[in-house]
Amino acid sequence: APRRMRGRRRWRRRRRWRQRADCGDAVAMRKLGFAYHDGTTGLKQDATQAFMWYKRAADLKDVHGLTECGIAYPNGQGVERSNIRGYTMLGGAALLGSEHACGILGQANAEGLDGFEKDPQEATRWYREMEKCETLNSIEEAREEAAAWLREHP
């Protein structure tokens, strides 16, 4: 398709997401968050806007929105840095079935990250939970790390 046509399609898609998001659609909010995060669909990368849309989705208990906020807070991406808020949101996402959130909680316990004490039992629990999750939003490398941990800590 010609460049101008692709631009129009991106603009229409983005407008539909915005309309749906403004009507309370958490999936559309999340999609806008990803678009701002990645600088896609004609939007400039903007961590603050990305976080705002993720947070709106998270407030509606969207598992992806919660996971993304949980990642953004400890890293200070588009929001003031806060490990407590981040891991609270990751805990919520994990309880709603986020594979990635469970993996992050497993790693934090395994390695003693961000104020967590090293706790192999808790790490094992979160890595086992990761295997049961319905929202498969992690990367293969994280799945392999979890599997390796579980082989070493049966």
Side-chain angles (χ1 to χ4, degrees), residues 63-64 67 96-100 132-138:
V63 67
H64 296 281
T67 303
L96 290 175
S98 167
E99 174 192 40
H100 195 56
K132 303 176 201 168
C133 289
E134 292 183 17
T135 303
L136 304 178
N137 57 345
S138 202

Side-chain angles (χ1 to χ4, degrees), residues 21-36:
D22 288 342
C23 291
D25 183 332
V27 173
M29 293 172 192
R30 174 198 336 140
K31 286 180 178 181
L32 282 168
F34 284 127
Y36 275 110

Side-chain angles (χ1 to χ4, degrees), residues 2-150:
R3 184 182 188 114
R4 200 167 70 194
M5 291 299 290
R6 284 194 311 261
R8 277 194 200 134
R9 280 197 299 260
R10 284 194 311 250
W11 179 82
R12 278 193 216 112
R13 182 181 322 133
R14 197 172 60 237
R15 188 179 69 184
R16 279 193 311 272
W17 290 346
R18 181 60 192 254
Q19 288 169 338
R20 290 178 185 154
D22 288 342
C23 291
D25 183 332
V27 173
M29 293 172 192
R30 174 198 336 140
K31 286 180 178 181
L32 282 168
F34 284 127
Y36 275 110
H37 180 270
D38 298 334
T40 58
T41 66
L43 293 172
K44 291 198 183 323
Q45 272 189 312
D46 185 330
T48 303
Q49 282 292 310
F51 179 81
M52 182 202 72
W53 286 110
Y54 292 146
K55 179 71 166 70
R56 286 184 64 184
D59 289 345
L60 296 173
K61 295 184 177 61
D62 178 77
V63 67
H64 296 281
L66 281 162
T67 303
E68 294 304 320
C69 285
I71 293 166
Y73 270 118
N75 294 309
Q77 295 172 325
V79 66
E80 188 173 332
R81 185 180 161 95
S82 172
N83 286 339
I84 293 170
R85 289 186 192 281
Y87 282 97
T88 298
M89 295 188 101
L90 286 168
L95 291 173
L96 290 175
S98 167
E99 174 192 40
H100 195 56
C102 288
I104 292 170
L105 291 167
Q107 184 182 24
N109 281 283
E111 298 176 19
L113 303 175
D114 295 326
F116 281 79
E117 292 180 25
K118 283 188 179 184
D119 186 335
Q121 287 83 12
E122 193 67 9
T124 298
R125 185 176 81 78
W126 282 113
Y127 284 138
R128 279 196 185 120
E129 198 65 33
M130 189 179 176
E131 296 178 325
K132 303 176 201 168
C133 289
E134 292 183 17
T135 303
L136 304 178
N137 57 345
S138 202
I139 59 173
E140 195 56 38
E141 181 182 338
R143 290 182 189 113
E144 290 168 8
E145 286 177 19
W149 174 274
L150 290 172

